Amino acid sequence: MNSSHDIVMVGGGGAGLRAAIAVAETNPDLSIAVVSKVYPMRSHTVAAEGGAAAVIKDNDSLENHINDTIAGGDWMCDQDAVELFVNEAPRELTQMEHWGCPWSRELDGTVAVRPFGGMKTERTWYAADKTGFHMLHTLFQTSLKYNNITRYDEWFATKILVENGRCQGVTAIELRSGKVEAIAGRSVIMCTGGAGRIFPFTTNGAIKTGDGMSMAYRAGVPLKDMEFIQYHPTGLPGTGILITEAARGEGGILVNKDGYRYLQDYELGKPLDINDPNHPVKKSMELGPRDRLSQAFVAEREKGKTISGPYGHVVHLDVRHLGEKKIDKKIPFVRELSKNYAGIDPVYKPIPVRPVVHYMMGGIDTDITGATALPGFYAAGECACVSINGANRLGSNSLTELLVFGRRAGTAAARFALENTAIDTASLELQASDEQKRIGRNFFRKAGGTERIFILRKEMNETMETSAGIYRSEKSLKETCDKIKELKDRFSNINMEDKSLNFNTELTSALELEFMLDVAEAIAYSALERTESRGSHQRTDFPERDDEKFLQHSLAYQSDAEPRIDYKDVVITKWPPGARVYGKKE
């Protein structure tokens, strides 16, 4: 039996819940569906550790936050969106306080803030080092008071439903039964998060497979700035589990195999001549932006200064000098993770870390209300690109982004739903039936398939890491484009042994891989066309930033062959592009 609501939210994490609350507050009579392939408290927002950025202290200013964000994004940010974001951020974090989020406090009772990479002053609110956990709890508990929110937990959305030129819902599989239904809505908000699982080493949870991005891509909505993939410089080897930037914000340092604090030899990514009498030791060092720190790791590895381990090369994150009392108060989860997943106690030993894929700056192209080119279709959170993160997101901006643009998308989608009441129920039910047949035809009733899901996924992971990772080139990217095309061809010949309908994890893995191959394609082709280096996109064959040609957002459109890449100008208002400089000469 198909269902109908006024607004359909796809994704039950921070952005989805904030959007649902915004809709409920706009009009209590609107029926809201929250469709999530996991129970909302298992959404990836729960894994965020370090904090959320917003101006609150007297020594800070909105102008400073705007400048840090734009420079951190290497002038790829839309400045109107950044200005709006920074202005609305304090209100959103204060609202979280009123809903019960337990922000850490100073001795005088004011909200505590900590330094974060790329931020020139302390403005990151935090709840110890489980900020995402507490934020998601707060949003989830707040959502429970609204009777007009209906949750579809463990329903996996597979397709955007388009009829009469506008979005009118989604199809989704109820994982418990395997049935595919249309969940109709006058408007839809996509809040499905990123796609870090395209890469082998990632801080992302297993559910972050680019579902929403791929569904939008297939519906003709462009994916913007997909070439910009953020590596976080401190992930645990093997698991990819994040060691939060808060560990460096509280005073942790990065050292190479000689115990040397190597970032002093870099202009936060660009090697310096250590024999230069004017050689600057950068004050920022560990609190430089994530792209620069990850690039410095590669340079150390090439110099033979990293430590070889069972999961590749690592450096050490040393927090021992902070002392047990401060570690247990400020970063207790870092200690817990290090003990459980690296087998060391950071009070006594340094933590082995390596760069791991953490965040996607690109995503579904939206305006500052969350609206896309498809009427009735909105997006917010990591799956969207508004764009405030440009070529490199500053740590602690993302949790605030969930709130600011989740609320704005919810308000805009509610307004659209009130103005566009008609839903073509018969057509949507027919589309749902066609989707059920497609899934049955492609996965259940197929005979003679020879390809295995895990082999294709492993090959996708390998080509993305080696050829579209921290450093890229025309040769490596062309190889990846060809490989992704090959994998998509081979995917049509997969062998799925599990034919059951109830909680079929093999089917879920197959659908997720299909989504990831779409997103990987958009990343590789967008990166191939951007013949410059900017932020997290570093081309060894084009090492300089090219504002004259590439102060533009890339737009990837799906086509029958390779994707079509178009461009549109970055919005520049009051902050013209300049040199990206961190720290001062001693």
Side-chain angles (χ1 to χ4, degrees):
M1 181 179 175
N2 297 293
S3 306
S4 183
H5 298 270
D6 295 312
I7 292 104
V8 177
M9 217 73 56
V10 184
L17 291 175
R18 184 63 187 95
I21 293 167
V23 174
E25 289 178 330
T26 299
N27 189 324
D29 295 326
L30 289 172
S31 171
I32 306 156
V34 177
V35 181
S36 177
K37 68 178 177 181
V38 294
Y39 185 72
M41 278 308 303
R42 293 189 177 276
S43 299
H44 192 64
T45 307
V46 81
E49 299 167 32
V55 173
I56 192 173
K57 298 297 184 182
D58 292 338
N59 65 341
D60 198 5
S61 70
L62 299 174
E63 181 82 9
N64 286 340
H65 192 183
I66 292 167
N67 277 317
D68 287 349
T69 299
I70 291 169
D74 219 349
W75 280 270
M76 187 55 51
C77 311
D78 282 342
Q79 295 179 7
D80 58 341
V82 173
E83 195 166 2
L84 181 150
F85 162 73
V86 168
N87 276 277
E88 294 192 1
R91 182 180 68 185
E92 281 298 318
L93 295 195
T94 302
Q95 177 65 74
M96 291 294 291
E97 157 87 359
H98 294 168
W99 284 336
C101 187
W103 300 117
S104 292
R105 299 283 176 176
E106 304 288 5
L107 290 176
D108 64 1
T110 59
V111 171
V113 290
R114 60 168 42 128
F116 244 63
M119 303 276 193
K120 294 186 180 66
T121 190
E122 299 177 356
R123 70 168 64 93
T124 297
W125 305 35
Y126 60 95
D129 57 355
K130 293 186 177 180
T131 309
F133 173 86
H134 290 298
M135 282 180 58
L136 193 60
H137 263 283
T138 300
L139 290 167
F140 183 55
Q141 290 167 0
T142 301
S143 74
L144 295 178
K145 72 180 183 180
Y146 295 104
N147 294 326
N148 54 332
I149 296 176
T150 301
R151 296 210 323 271
Y152 291 78
D153 295 344
E154 297 183 329
W155 282 70
F156 186 2
T158 64
K159 182 184 178 182
I160 294 167
L161 296 175
V162 180
E163 189 62 34
N164 298 324
R166 66 181 179 93
C167 180
Q168 295 191 20
V170 297
T171 58
I173 301 174
E174 183 186 36
L175 297 179
R176 181 177 61 183
S177 66
K179 66 182 179 182
V180 176
E181 289 191 8
I183 303 177
R186 302 177 193 172
S187 59
V188 170
I189 309 176
M190 194 64 71
C191 305
T192 52
R197 284 286 159 174
I198 289 170
F199 293 82
F201 297 103
T202 178
T203 64
N204 288 190
I207 60 174
K208 298 218 11 193
T209 51
D211 310 351
M213 294 180 187
S214 175
M215 282 186 272
Y217 188 54
R218 294 175 188 180
V221 178
L223 300 183
K224 181 166 66 181
D225 290 345
M226 294 300 289
E227 61 269 40
F228 298 114
I229 307 294
Q230 182 171 84
Y231 278 74
H232 196 293
T234 55
L236 290 177
T239 61
I241 289 171
L242 175 67
I243 298 298
T244 173
E245 199 160 300
R248 289 174 279 126
E250 296 297 341
I253 62 172
L254 289 167
V255 297
N256 64 17
K257 71 176 184 179
D258 301 323
Y260 176 67
R261 194 176 177 187
Y262 61 87
L263 287 172
Q264 63 190 289
D265 291 347
Y266 297 86
E267 193 180 349
L268 298 179
K270 181 180 178 182
L272 298 172
D273 180 1
I274 59 175
N275 297 313
D276 182 350
N278 296 315
H279 169 229
V281 176
K282 295 297 177 180
K283 289 182 178 179
S284 303
M285 283 208 261
E286 284 80 9
L287 289 180
R290 293 167 175 177
D291 57 339
R292 296 281 183 86
L293 267 62
S294 297
Q295 292 153 24
F297 170 90
V298 174
E300 284 295 291
R301 186 180 64 197
E302 290 176 350
K303 291 194 293 187
K305 294 293 186 179
T306 51
I307 304 152
S308 181
Y311 300 103
H313 288 255
V314 299
V315 290
H316 279 148
L317 174 61
D318 196 347
V319 298
R320 291 175 293 178
H321 54 284
L322 302 181
E324 185 172 14
K325 184 177 179 181
K326 185 171 183 178
I327 289 171
D328 284 345
K329 180 182 179 182
K330 294 293 188 72
I331 49 172
F333 197 42
V334 167
R335 190 178 188 187
E336 181 182 333
L337 291 172
S338 299
K339 283 181 173 181
N340 292 342
Y341 296 99
I344 64 103
D345 187 339
V347 171
Y348 306 107
K349 292 183 178 180
I351 309 166
V353 293
R354 57 157 291 167
V356 290
V357 166
H358 182 58
Y359 189 88
M360 302 189 73
M361 275 68 77
I364 301 164
D365 179 28
T366 76
D367 66 14
I368 57 176
T369 70
T372 72
L374 176 62
F377 181 57
Y378 299 78
E382 191 179 353
C383 75
C385 182
V386 63
S387 150
I388 66 160
N389 298 312
N392 173 67
R393 177 177 68 78
L394 292 192
S396 74
N397 267 353
S398 62
L399 286 178
T400 314
E401 180 185 2
L402 298 178
L403 302 173
V404 170
F405 291 102
R407 182 188 67 80
R408 291 182 67 82
T411 303
R415 189 180 307 116
F416 184 93
L418 290 168
E419 295 170 355
N420 297 269
T421 57
I423 294 178
D424 192 337
T425 306
S427 175
L428 301 187
E429 289 179 355
L430 183 60
Q431 288 190 51
S433 176
D434 289 344
E435 180 69 355
Q436 179 92 64
K437 291 173 184 174
R438 181 189 76 86
I439 290 169
R441 181 174 63 250
N442 290 355
F443 302 110
F444 287 109
R445 292 191 293 276
K446 180 180 290 184
T450 57
E451 297 288 351
R452 303 302 300 267
I453 295 167
F454 80 94
I455 293 292
L456 297 181
R457 184 165 176 163
K458 182 172 182 288
E459 291 184 24
M460 174 192 66
N461 287 161
E462 288 172 349
T463 190
M464 293 302 289
E465 178 71 20
T466 58
S467 300
I470 294 175
Y471 285 98
R472 298 101 177 255
S473 69
E474 181 179 16
K475 179 177 182 293
S476 73
L477 290 167
K478 282 184 173 178
E479 288 172 354
T480 295
C481 290
D482 291 343
K483 184 65 177 180
I484 296 300
K485 184 177 185 302
E486 174 203 317
L487 293 173
K488 293 188 88 166
D489 290 341
R490 288 165 58 190
F491 181 84
S492 62
N493 193 35
I494 64 166
N495 173 45
M496 210 178 79
E497 295 179 354
D498 188 352
K499 306 298 184 183
S500 65
L501 295 176
N502 309 91
F503 291 108
N504 187 329
T505 55
E506 191 176 19
L507 173 62
T508 303
S509 295
L511 290 167
E512 288 175 335
L513 176 58
E514 192 175 30
F515 286 145
M516 284 191 288
L517 288 170
D518 279 348
V519 179
E521 173 185 82
I523 292 169
Y525 280 92
S526 297
L528 178 62
E529 293 299 318
R530 184 175 289 275
T531 53
E532 67 158 354
S533 288
R534 185 187 297 269
S536 64
H537 173 70
Q538 292 294 308
R539 289 282 296 260
T540 56
D541 47 351
F542 294 94
E544 300 301 322
R545 196 177 84 189
D546 184 355
D547 287 342
E548 185 175 339
K549 184 177 179 183
F550 284 109
L551 197 60
Q552 292 187 307
H553 298 297
S554 63
L555 298 171
Y557 292 85
Q558 189 182 55
S559 69
D560 292 336
E562 60 191 44
R564 174 171 58 89
I565 309 298
D566 286 345
Y567 293 91
K568 70 176 179 180
D569 290 341
V570 172
V571 177
I572 305 292
T573 56
K574 297 186 289 187
W575 297 272
R580 194 165 169 231
V581 178
Y582 294 91
K584 299 177 181 178
K585 288 187 178 182
E586 296 291 347

